[in-house]
Amino acid sequence: MGDKAARPGRPRDPRADAAILQAARDLMAEGGLSNLTVEGTAQRAGVAKTTVYRRYPTKLTLAVAAVAALISPEEPYGENLEDVVGNGLAQFTGDFASSDGQSAFLSVAAAASGDGVAHALFTSQVLGPIEEKLQRSLGLAGASASSFAFDVLMGTMIHRLVIRQLPLDDDFEGRFVELTRFVTDGDAP
Amino acid sequence: MGDKAARPGRPRDPRADAAILQAARDLMAEGGLSNLTVEGTAQRAGVAKTTVYRRYPTKLTLAVAAVAALISPEEPYGENLEDVVGNGLAQFTGDFASSDGQSAFLSVAAAASGDGVAHALFTSQVLGPIEEKLQRSLGLAGASASSFAFDVLMGTMIHRLVIRQLPLDDDFEGRFVELTRFVTDGDAP
Amino acid sequence: MGDKAARPGRPRDPRADAAILQAARDLMAEGGLSNLTVEGTAQRAGVAKTTVYRRYPTKLTLAVAAVAALISPEEPYGENLEDVVGNGLAQFTGDFASSDGQSAFLSVAAAASGDGVAHALFTSQVLGPIEEKLQRSLGLAGASASSFAFDVLMGTMIHRLVIRQLPLDDDFEGRFVELTRFVTDGDAP
Amino acid sequence: MGDKAARPGRPRDPRADAAILQAARDLMAEGGLSNLTVEGTAQRAGVAKTTVYRRYPTKLTLAVAAVAALISPEEPYGENLEDVVGNGLAQFTGDFASSDGQSAFLSVAAAASGDGVAHALFTSQVLGPIEEKLQRSLGLAGASASSFAFDVLMGTMIHRLVIRQLPLDDDFEGRFVELTRFVTDGDAP
DNA sequence: AATTAAACGAGACGGTACGTCGAGTCTTATC
DNA sequence: GATAAGACTCGACGTACCGTCTCGTTTAATT
């Protein structure tokens, strides 16, 4: 029989789950990790602090969940590599390189890097989905990316768009397409 | 002419300058940004807190200086691209991807990304020197890197070694050499 | 009815209440207002600083409470006016005109005089109890004091014993008895 | 002969003397002792901090001088006791019981009470002149005040006007005249 | 005229405390 | 047992003054 073991006591309020995640996501989007506080999340979600801590034992785990929730669900689209890459860059920029510079992705990646549990969570809940999305995107153009290619493509975007905060212009996009072609084993001629 | 304008007032104690920077560098190396506190820096440097704040108006500016001081002064060396890249990767790993995962570079990059002043400082005092070092290294092998190449090479290292914290093995190194060759306009045959 | 409204949330620890007040009282007695620090109070009370600030939003409010706690609970006693006044003077001297000159009463009165909230607190928690005590004392000798008399008697003690720091001798005591007789509407012959 | 010993070196700038005292006086009048800072005084006087400290080795000594400078030079006047007392009360109120409550007199008296040197200074430079002024005033009405009377009259004013901050009304003034008559050995019938 | 001694402006320095913020834990009563 | 409410410990933040110190620069009186 399923896992609806009907644990004793009052069941968790699913509305709280949603409200907390939404609040955390919003705070993160507004001002990065430093703008995300457990207290603030609880207040904005209309929930007690305990209720947050029951779900996320640590600020960092909450932050990882919030970043994961920041990944836009829309798939890149397009038929040739140019379009696919263009759409992918645009979505990455929109999700993680907000104009005010406060990058949720980067600060959480940094914080998680010093905490084994959080790093594992970050890898599975943030990096994993991003890699899958990348894979599906490239698939549209008949290419596929190795683990190394993932490092190259993600790293380049991060360094350019988040760390250096330089704009996403045509020149960069063009070179990025070439880079993608080089690093993936596409069957394009 | 000459910039010895001899500003009025008691001059700053250069020993304090050095002690503060050293203390901050050490704290950073020991436990990352979260281990770096203004209070702790002052104490370890044997200096009053105000003396730190006079030089670094904010914890973040101190952190940027500390990261800049973390860049190892030794130049990569070697004659062919394989050696140069190998040494460069090793130095980057030693400087910024310490075994305990607490990456000073990444957390400071993240924190600085949300603060205009700090971001400018980070760019000039950390990214600048790294880029110059990279340039000199590649020069040994007769190559040179564009701004885009800098994004690609730095980003790849960061994503692989710091964000994903995967090890620096021969396979990665080999691919990285190829990547470098592709992205730089070297005159190697 | 009853004020056991049972406010939600964890109730305040009454031991902390007592420990804080005691610590503040002691620090005040040892070295006056300048020896009273919120930090020191917390430490001596074995309590976090925030726990102090939750009860006393400002150093000044803490100081007022400490001075109020300095008022000795013993009533003056005696049957004729000479004895009552003598005992009253002795108690005032013991409470507020300590030998080292650091008058907690005066410095808090001064500090509170520039802060509306603190002044109100000082009036109700320090001046009020002193006036009541004076009233009860005089009652023993069949006299009672007007508001003006309170000003005269308290003021004289303060100026002589605290501001000028002159000793409490027989001559002063004798004149003070006469003054009390003049300024109160006793029925003593 | 004379004390114009003409010490060697550059003589003190008398304009600095005046500017410092004036600045301190103003700061004191604006917000009491807590508004008086050596740094602020120096700045407002257009003078270096050293220049202040050369004259007043301690904030407290500066404060005493500032309070002394607050005593209005105008003599009370009048022919009968009512007028003399009325004018005296008005001047005391104007000098020391400013409407915003920050009593320079009281806070300095309090601070000086814990510091032997400052207390002596306060006695000679503040209390002395006030007592002399009182004496001259009463002399106009053919009365004279003992040391005890000084305690009574000053103390009453302080407690009423400064500590309790109650207003100076006709009732109080009337009673104060009677009190003065009682406590002085005037030759009025 | 050169020298000497102190005043002066400017600002660094060590120290101490302030009041605030946030993390994560604990304690109540209520649902 | 989940929840709301809020107290609690701990550690750090950035700020404000104090009183001391070290510079380089004036300004007299003395040699």
mmCIF file of all heavy atoms in Angstrom, chain A residues 36-51:
data_model
loop_
_atom_site.group_PDB
_atom_site.id
_atom_site.type_symbol
_atom_site.label_atom_id
_atom_site.label_comp_id
_atom_site.label_asym_id
_atom_site.label_seq_id
_atom_site.Cartn_x
_atom_site.Cartn_y
_atom_site.Cartn_z
ATOM 1 N N LEU A 36 17.173 37.194 1.464
ATOM 2 C CA LEU A 36 16.345 36.071 1.910
ATOM 3 C C LEU A 36 16.630 35.775 3.370
ATOM 4 O O LEU A 36 17.744 35.381 3.718
ATOM 5 C CB LEU A 36 16.660 34.818 1.079
ATOM 6 C CG LEU A 36 15.927 33.557 1.504
ATOM 7 C CD1 LEU A 36 14.466 33.631 1.122
ATOM 8 C CD2 LEU A 36 16.562 32.330 0.884
ATOM 9 N N THR A 37 15.650 35.990 4.218
ATOM 10 C CA THR A 37 15.806 35.629 5.615
ATOM 11 C C THR A 37 14.664 34.707 5.987
ATOM 12 O O THR A 37 13.568 34.811 5.441
ATOM 13 C CB THR A 37 15.759 36.851 6.536
ATOM 14 O OG1 THR A 37 14.454 37.411 6.494
ATOM 15 C CG2 THR A 37 16.769 37.895 6.130
ATOM 16 N N VAL A 38 14.944 33.805 6.888
ATOM 17 C CA VAL A 38 13.906 32.877 7.308
ATOM 18 C C VAL A 38 12.746 33.647 7.931
ATOM 19 O O VAL A 38 11.575 33.372 7.665
ATOM 20 C CB VAL A 38 14.477 31.862 8.314
ATOM 21 C CG1 VAL A 38 13.381 30.951 8.798
ATOM 22 C CG2 VAL A 38 15.589 31.073 7.672
ATOM 23 N N GLU A 39 13.115 34.627 8.731
ATOM 24 C CA GLU A 39 12.092 35.425 9.383
ATOM 25 C C GLU A 39 11.210 36.130 8.356
ATOM 26 O O GLU A 39 9.973 36.115 8.449
ATOM 27 C CB GLU A 39 12.771 36.457 10.280
ATOM 28 C CG GLU A 39 12.188 36.525 11.672
ATOM 29 C CD GLU A 39 13.276 36.821 12.698
ATOM 30 O OE1 GLU A 39 13.742 37.969 12.767
ATOM 31 O OE2 GLU A 39 13.673 35.895 13.417
ATOM 32 N N GLY A 40 11.867 36.742 7.401
ATOM 33 C CA GLY A 40 11.116 37.452 6.378
ATOM 34 C C GLY A 40 10.245 36.521 5.555
ATOM 35 O O GLY A 40 9.113 36.862 5.203
ATOM 36 N N THR A 41 10.783 35.369 5.238
ATOM 37 C CA THR A 41 9.996 34.399 4.479
ATOM 38 C C THR A 41 8.734 34.009 5.238
ATOM 39 O O THR A 41 7.631 33.996 4.676
ATOM 40 C CB THR A 41 10.841 33.137 4.218
ATOM 41 O OG1 THR A 41 12.032 33.499 3.530
ATOM 42 C CG2 THR A 41 10.060 32.135 3.395
ATOM 43 N N ALA A 42 8.911 33.723 6.514
ATOM 44 C CA ALA A 42 7.760 33.318 7.333
ATOM 45 C C ALA A 42 6.716 34.421 7.350
ATOM 46 O O ALA A 42 5.523 34.192 7.148
ATOM 47 C CB ALA A 42 8.225 32.999 8.749
ATOM 48 N N GLN A 43 7.188 35.613 7.564
ATOM 49 C CA GLN A 43 6.247 36.726 7.662
ATOM 50 C C GLN A 43 5.488 36.931 6.363
ATOM 51 O O GLN A 43 4.268 37.054 6.349
ATOM 52 C CB GLN A 43 7.029 37.994 8.020
ATOM 53 C CG GLN A 43 6.135 39.117 8.500
ATOM 54 C CD GLN A 43 6.954 40.303 8.982
ATOM 55 O OE1 GLN A 43 8.173 40.181 9.148
ATOM 56 N NE2 GLN A 43 6.298 41.432 9.192
ATOM 57 N N ARG A 44 6.223 36.930 5.252
ATOM 58 C CA ARG A 44 5.568 37.169 3.981
ATOM 59 C C ARG A 44 4.632 36.038 3.611
ATOM 60 O O ARG A 44 3.601 36.257 2.957
ATOM 61 C CB ARG A 44 6.614 37.349 2.880
ATOM 62 C CG ARG A 44 6.012 37.749 1.553
ATOM 63 C CD ARG A 44 7.025 37.867 0.456
ATOM 64 N NE ARG A 44 7.825 39.087 0.581
ATOM 65 C CZ ARG A 44 8.211 39.819 -0.463
ATOM 66 N NH1 ARG A 44 7.852 39.484 -1.694
ATOM 67 N NH2 ARG A 44 8.956 40.883 -0.297
ATOM 68 N N ALA A 45 4.974 34.840 4.068
ATOM 69 C CA ALA A 45 4.114 33.697 3.769
ATOM 70 C C ALA A 45 2.941 33.617 4.741
ATOM 71 O O ALA A 45 2.052 32.772 4.591
ATOM 72 C CB ALA A 45 4.930 32.417 3.824
ATOM 73 N N GLY A 46 2.946 34.494 5.754
ATOM 74 C CA GLY A 46 1.875 34.464 6.737
ATOM 75 C C GLY A 46 1.908 33.202 7.572
ATOM 76 O O GLY A 46 0.877 32.581 7.852
ATOM 77 N N VAL A 47 3.097 32.851 8.001
ATOM 78 C CA VAL A 47 3.329 31.555 8.607
ATOM 79 C C VAL A 47 4.324 31.748 9.751
ATOM 80 O O VAL A 47 5.079 32.705 9.761
ATOM 81 C CB VAL A 47 3.891 30.649 7.479
ATOM 82 C CG1 VAL A 47 5.067 29.846 7.953
ATOM 83 C CG2 VAL A 47 2.798 29.778 6.896
ATOM 84 N N ALA A 48 4.306 30.869 10.726
ATOM 85 C CA ALA A 48 5.256 31.002 11.826
ATOM 86 C C ALA A 48 6.621 30.464 11.406
ATOM 87 O O ALA A 48 6.725 29.617 10.529
ATOM 88 C CB ALA A 48 4.763 30.263 13.054
ATOM 89 N N LYS A 49 7.650 30.949 12.097
ATOM 90 C CA LYS A 49 9.000 30.545 11.758
ATOM 91 C C LYS A 49 9.156 29.029 11.889
ATOM 92 O O LYS A 49 9.822 28.391 11.060
ATOM 93 C CB LYS A 49 9.991 31.264 12.676
ATOM 94 C CG LYS A 49 11.136 31.829 11.943
ATOM 95 C CD LYS A 49 12.143 32.630 12.729
ATOM 96 C CE LYS A 49 12.131 32.619 14.227
ATOM 97 N NZ LYS A 49 13.472 33.053 14.747
ATOM 98 N N THR A 50 8.543 28.488 12.909
ATOM 99 C CA THR A 50 8.603 27.030 13.110
ATOM 100 C C THR A 50 8.189 26.280 11.861
ATOM 101 O O THR A 50 8.764 25.242 11.523
ATOM 102 C CB THR A 50 7.633 26.618 14.221
ATOM 103 O OG1 THR A 50 7.385 27.722 15.071
ATOM 104 C CG2 THR A 50 8.191 25.453 14.995
ATOM 105 N N THR A 51 7.168 26.766 11.239
ATOM 106 C CA THR A 51 6.612 26.093 10.071
ATOM 107 C C THR A 51 7.619 26.059 8.921
ATOM 108 O O THR A 51 7.652 25.111 8.149
ATOM 109 C CB THR A 51 5.320 26.818 9.646
ATOM 110 O OG1 THR A 51 4.451 26.855 10.780
ATOM 111 C CG2 THR A 51 4.626 26.077 8.532
#
